[in-house]
Amino acid sequence: MSSKPATAPESLLDELQTTLAHGTVARRVETLRRVTDLFINGSVNYSDEQVVLFDDVFQCLLEHIENSAKALLANRLAPIDTAPPQTIRTLAFDDLIEVAGPVLTLSPRLDDDTLIETARSKSQAHLLAISNRKSLSGAVTDVLVLRGNDEVIQSAVNNPGAEFTERGFTRLISRAEGDDNLSTCVGLRPNIPRHLYLKLVAKASDAVRQRLEAAIPQQAKEIPIAVKEATRRARSASAAVTPDTAIAHALVKSLYQDGRLDEFQLAAFAEAGKFDETNASLAALANVSVSVAENMMIETRAEGVMILAKVSSLSWSTVRAIIDLRDEISGGEPTDLQACKDTYERLRPSTAQQVLRFHRMQQSAPAA
């Protein structure tokens, strides 16, 4: 079944050589059309070797055809699972978005490394095309969030097939400040980490909070409606608890109940960059709720961490690991560790207990 298509591209090689050496632009375009038709009509039957042969033919033609013909080729090859890989890559890296766009948006032949390389070096139009792909890994969206303009960011956030890393969500929250539309879209992402959701809502306008309530009416009462940075008050929102967060909390609860949760385990969580596990462990050791610990952990300054740590009798090395984790997640200015160490060493356990009681009272107070 595949023998006829197999010989056809080979028989075109002589014609191709003649066309490239002596043919007009029109003849080159016609040859490209014939080769493309031949490939598309039999693409499901071609072996890897035959696809490589087509790849060589397309690559030769791409060097000698005009941009409109390249754009047509990109549109025809983009949706095909078995499209010649080097040709797809060449089209994806074309400076003209009319050529690169269809491939960047549709082609399943492009892997993450190629998408990342393109996103790091090409135009905003190229980034926008990538943001519209059916699925996007966190590694790719990291670059889109870092380099993309407002249109690219909005497109990626609105893409249900896009995944975002914790670093990506942190940057999104920073980008969303003062942008109600983006804030709402980020807040509605299903996998936003709990602590970052609280941080987003703490900075959000009343309009954003109302939109979040309206979007999830059955859980409107559970969405934080009175989170204020000044008072650092927040209410738990089950809508913000992702499956990963729930698993992390369950793990820490099990360790605590079995008597296996100690400072060493807490430090290991912090050094591994696991915020949910670190937060839940610190809450358990300080004998406070997870929500109280979350609010103190996401404070602008590091005093909340030091209060919880002093109550839990943690060493400075563990406190430093937790502060480093906060800095990494927040993406803000690094904390002055020497100043924090001096403060932590001066802090009395009795003072830490008093401040912690104040935080408990704030958490239990009715929302304004």
Side-chain angles (χ1 to χ4, degrees):
M1 184 174 181
S2 61
S3 59
K4 184 176 180 181
T7 58
E10 294 168 357
S11 67
L12 281 178
L13 288 179
D14 289 340
E15 178 185 342
L16 177 64
Q17 295 284 359
T18 302
T19 299
L20 295 180
H22 309 291
T24 63
V25 171
R27 183 173 178 182
R28 291 171 183 170
V29 171
E30 174 60 20
T31 301
L32 176 65
R33 185 194 64 76
R34 288 183 59 198
V35 174
T36 307
D37 287 344
L38 184 65
F39 177 78
I40 291 176
N41 291 336
S43 60
V44 295
N45 298 314
Y46 291 132
S47 67
D48 290 344
E49 292 78 9
Q50 291 164 346
V51 172
V52 170
L53 177 59
F54 273 104
D55 221 346
D56 291 340
V57 173
F58 281 127
Q59 291 283 67
C60 289
L61 286 169
L62 281 174
E63 297 178 2
H64 299 86
I65 59 175
E66 59 188 8
N67 291 325
S68 60
K70 291 182 182 179
L72 180 60
L73 177 64
N75 276 286
R76 298 190 69 189
L77 293 183
I80 299 177
D81 292 347
T82 57
Q86 291 305 314
T87 300
I88 292 294
R89 179 181 171 85
T90 299
L91 294 169
F93 278 93
D94 197 286
D95 288 338
L96 283 179
I97 191 59
E98 292 81 4
V99 176
V103 171
L104 291 175
T105 298
L106 297 174
S107 179
R109 277 295 208 182
L110 296 178
D111 57 19
D112 278 3
D113 288 343
T114 303
L115 293 170
I116 290 170
E117 186 178 352
T118 307
R120 284 175 174 167
S121 60
K122 294 299 181 179
S123 72
Q124 293 297 317
H126 289 70
L127 271 63
L128 183 61
I130 294 172
S131 74
N132 287 310
R133 289 179 67 84
K134 184 177 181 180
S135 63
L136 291 168
S137 71
V140 175
T141 58
D142 269 354
V143 183
L144 296 181
V145 173
L146 180 64
R147 286 202 66 230
N149 60 19
D150 291 345
E151 186 179 12
V152 171
I153 298 296
Q154 193 71 56
S155 176
V157 171
N158 287 332
N159 185 341
E163 298 177 356
F164 293 90
T165 65
E166 192 158 303
R167 183 188 298 274
F169 272 119
T170 298
R171 287 173 176 155
L172 283 174
I173 291 173
S174 178
R175 291 285 295 265
E177 192 166 355
D179 185 334
D180 283 2
N181 188 38
L182 183 56
S183 294
T184 303
C185 293
V186 174
L188 291 175
R189 291 293 308 188
N191 295 319
I192 181 171
R194 182 184 179 87
H195 61 286
L196 294 179
Y197 178 86
L198 292 176
K199 184 175 181 180
L200 171 72
V201 177
K203 294 181 176 182
S205 67
D206 289 339
V208 171
R209 294 172 189 164
Q210 290 170 7
R211 290 178 190 175
L212 294 177
E213 290 178 12
I216 319 176
Q218 69 275 21
Q219 297 182 8
K221 293 181 180 179
E222 299 178 25
I223 295 178
I225 60 174
V227 182
K228 297 180 180 179
E229 190 72 22
T231 59
R232 299 181 177 94
R233 294 168 59 177
R235 289 184 175 272
S236 297
S238 60
V241 179
T242 67
D244 288 344
T245 297
I247 292 172
H249 289 178
L251 169 63
V252 172
K253 182 178 180 180
S254 175
L255 291 172
Y256 182 74
Q257 291 176 340
D258 292 346
R260 293 183 291 136
L261 183 64
D262 53 17
E263 178 177 353
F264 177 80
Q265 181 63 70
L266 169 59
F269 284 141
E271 291 168 358
K274 297 181 177 181
F275 179 91
D276 289 324
E277 290 85 347
T278 301
N279 179 72
S281 299
L282 194 53
L285 294 178
N287 192 27
V288 298
S289 68
V290 171
S291 59
V292 168
E294 283 175 339
N295 295 335
M296 298 176 72
M297 283 278 280
I298 64 175
E299 290 178 350
T300 305
R301 302 172 68 183
E303 278 79 356
V305 170
M306 291 191 285
I307 294 297
L308 292 169
K310 181 62 71 169
V311 170
S312 305
S313 302
L314 302 182
S315 66
W316 167 248
S317 62
T318 300
V319 178
R320 182 177 61 189
I322 299 172
I323 293 174
D324 286 342
L325 171 61
R326 286 179 74 256
D327 287 353
E328 174 68 19
I329 291 173
S330 69
E333 291 295 323
T335 300
D336 186 340
L337 291 175
Q338 185 58 52
C340 285
K341 181 179 181 181
D342 294 341
T343 300
Y344 189 69
E345 291 176 347
R346 292 195 307 267
L347 181 62
R348 297 168 59 183
S350 59
T351 302
Q353 287 284 5
Q354 289 177 341
V355 175
L356 189 56
R357 281 196 294 270
F358 173 74
H359 279 275
R360 287 195 185 101
M361 289 173 56
Q362 282 193 314
Q363 179 70 14
S364 60

